[in-house]
């Protein structure tokens, strides 16, 4: 039996409604003379031992305490390059992605309920971004994080639909896998054109591809 069309959208923030976090990290590594694959591997190893990112995303750390820990880890992963400088430069490079933001607005205007589902290092989202959504689920405010199934279930409940009636867009494969386990259709966001084509096909709304 052919599954029914989805009726609601869940969307990540950084890396989907903004330019790529991966691309920004690669550029900063190149600027600072850091080997990007080695940096990724070293950071993963550090986070496996003590992961302040997971704790801040669950709301268990305040931002200042988190940064104190994470700057040290990041400096180690960068081979001594200052972690705070690295993050500041990434922040300069990560900018709003206008076509993805426009797509959310178009889908909502067409009657699709839309939810922001974000793992956050502090609720510092631009007000104009939050205003585009019917539902906002920020990890640190609800005490759960992607890919926990509970955060997707909460977003679906607030949207007034079942998880299987949703589409979820995220740039981290671990997060799309978590959503898919609940029967949510997922898009691993790597290319704006490809994401917009898939959203157009599923929701039947012409988007700016």
């Amino acid at each position: 039996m052919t599954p029914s069309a989805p009726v609601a959208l869940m969307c990540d923030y950084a890396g989907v409604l903004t330019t790529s976090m991966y691309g920004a990290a690669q550029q900063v590594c190149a600027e600072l003379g850091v080997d990007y694959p080695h940096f990724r591997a070293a950071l993963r190893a550090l986070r496996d031992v003590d992961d302040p990112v997971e704790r801040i995303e669950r709301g268990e750390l305040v931002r200042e305490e988190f940064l104190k820990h994470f700057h040290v880890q990041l400096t180690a992963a960068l081979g001594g390059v200052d972690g705070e400088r690295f993050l500041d430069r990434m922040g300069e490079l990560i900018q709003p992605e206008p076509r993805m933001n426009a797509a959310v607005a178009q889908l909502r205007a067409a009657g699709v309920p839309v939810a922001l589902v974000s793992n956050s290092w502090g609720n510092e989202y631009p007000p104009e971004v939050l205003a585009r959504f019917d539902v906002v689920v920020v990890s640190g405010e609800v005490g759960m994080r992607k890919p926990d199934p509970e955060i997707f279930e909460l977003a679906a409940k607030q949207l007034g639909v079942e998880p299987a009636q949703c589409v979820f867009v995220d740039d981290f494969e671990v997060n799309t896998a978590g959503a898919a386990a609940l029967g949510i259709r997922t898009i691993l966001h790597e290319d704006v054109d490809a994401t917009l084509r898939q959203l157009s096909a599923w929701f039947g709304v012409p988007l700016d591809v």
Side-chain angles (χ1 to χ4, degrees):
M1 187 168 108
T2 303
S4 58
V7 299
L9 173 67
M10 302 178 186
C11 188
D12 181 32
Y13 176 64
V16 175
L17 300 181
T18 72
T19 53
S20 171
M21 295 176 65
Y22 293 112
Q26 286 177 303
Q27 181 170 333
V28 179
C29 280
E31 291 175 359
L32 300 180
V34 174
D35 180 74
Y36 179 69
H38 173 75
F39 155 66
R40 289 287 304 276
L43 188 58
R44 281 195 299 269
L46 284 168
R47 290 187 59 185
D48 285 343
V49 175
D50 175 30
D51 190 358
V53 172
E54 181 169 334
R55 282 183 282 150
I56 191 174
E57 288 178 348
R58 292 190 191 280
E60 297 168 2
L61 289 177
V62 298
R63 183 176 175 85
E64 293 75 17
E65 185 180 359
F66 159 72
L67 289 174
K68 180 176 70 175
H69 289 285
F70 191 59
H71 285 158
V72 172
Q73 286 190 328
L74 192 55
T75 298
L78 293 166
V81 173
D82 184 75
E84 184 173 4
R85 177 186 175 198
F86 189 95
L87 286 181
D88 287 346
R89 178 61 178 140
M90 274 192 68
E92 293 171 359
L93 294 172
I94 296 172
Q95 298 295 318
E97 206 323 299
R99 293 171 65 205
M100 287 301 303
N101 282 277
V104 169
Q106 285 179 264
L107 289 167
R108 190 184 189 192
V112 176
V114 293
L116 180 71
V117 184
S118 178
N119 285 353
S120 177
W121 292 7
N123 192 350
E124 298 181 349
Y125 302 91
E128 65 271 17
V129 170
L130 300 182
R132 295 189 184 103
F133 291 89
D134 300 296
V135 166
V136 174
V137 178
V138 174
S139 64
E141 295 181 353
V142 298
M144 56 188 83
R145 66 189 285 273
K146 299 175 294 185
D148 297 345
E150 294 83 3
I151 197 168
F152 301 113
E153 291 169 340
L154 175 63
K157 181 178 180 180
Q158 292 189 9
L159 286 167
V161 300
E162 294 298 320
Q165 295 177 292
C166 298
V167 171
F168 173 58
V169 184
D170 199 288
D171 61 328
F172 280 20
E173 189 169 7
V174 66
N175 294 336
T176 57
L182 293 174
I184 297 171
R185 296 169 175 86
T186 62
I187 299 173
L188 180 60
H189 179 72
E190 299 174 312
D191 174 78
V192 173
D193 286 341
T195 296
L196 294 181
R197 281 194 295 269
Q198 186 62 74
L199 289 173
S200 293
W202 271 335
F203 288 109
V205 177
L207 300 174
D208 178 24
V209 179

